[in-house]
Amino acid sequence: MEIGKWIRIQRQKLHISQSALGKLLCLSPSTISKWECNAQSPTLEHVRELERIFGAQAPDQDCAYYGYDAGMEVEIRYSQNAAKAERCLNTVARLFLDLGQQLFKDPAVQAEFAAWQAKRAAKEAAAYGQN
């Protein structure tokens, strides 16, 4: 969903006008209108404030997550807009964190990780002559 559509839907759910939302954000009603028409994008700070006002998370914009394979390849697309880029990277970070937490619950993954840690410790000990 585009950010402008999300803003309009959330604003209408609260039954507030563009003018009222503009006052909450110390902005003009025309700025809110431009956001809702996707003629202009809100800054990251404004998106965070909108999330607080609406009590809902904004959609991640210009970010595509195409899944992962054995190589954990992720394709990310984002615009030159720094706020959109940051939201996109935060989305990917959340996805990897969630994936890591899900994987680490698997006993086989835990055993493999423990074996890897032991091998790494042995290599470090050998490298420093402590073996």
Side-chain angles (χ1 to χ4, degrees):
M1 177 184 299
E2 292 181 335
I3 191 76
K5 184 176 182 179
W6 177 79
I7 293 169
R8 181 176 35 81
I9 289 169
Q10 296 300 321
R11 178 181 60 76
Q12 289 173 344
K13 281 183 184 178
L14 294 177
H15 305 286
I16 60 174
S17 65
Q18 290 178 342
S19 179
L21 182 57
K23 285 180 184 176
L24 288 170
L25 296 169
C26 299
L27 298 169
S28 69
S30 65
T31 299
I32 306 302
S33 176
K34 288 176 187 176
W35 290 351
E36 290 183 1
C37 295
N38 291 307
Q40 185 178 332
S41 295
T43 65
L44 182 59
E45 293 78 24
H46 285 127
V47 171
R48 297 298 173 241
E49 186 64 16
L50 288 166
E51 289 176 329
R52 188 190 65 73
I53 291 167
F54 297 147
Q57 186 175 354
D60 294 309
Q61 295 298 300
D62 296 323
C63 181
Y65 173 69
Y66 290 102
Y68 59 93
D69 59 16
M72 302 291 281
E73 294 181 20
V74 176
E75 182 178 342
I76 306 168
R77 294 184 308 203
Y78 58 87
S79 73
Q80 297 300 315
N81 181 303
K84 289 180 179 181
E86 183 176 345
R87 286 196 303 272
C88 183
L89 294 174
N90 286 339
T91 298
V92 173
R94 282 193 311 268
L95 289 168
F96 275 109
L97 180 62
D98 292 345
L99 177 62
Q101 289 172 343
Q102 291 170 13
L103 284 175
F104 206 73
K105 291 178 182 176
D106 183 343
V109 172
Q110 290 176 354
E112 189 174 328
F113 181 70
W116 173 81
Q117 281 183 313
K119 286 179 187 176
R120 188 186 74 189
K123 282 183 182 180
E124 286 179 0
Y128 293 109
Q130 297 174 354
N131 198 4

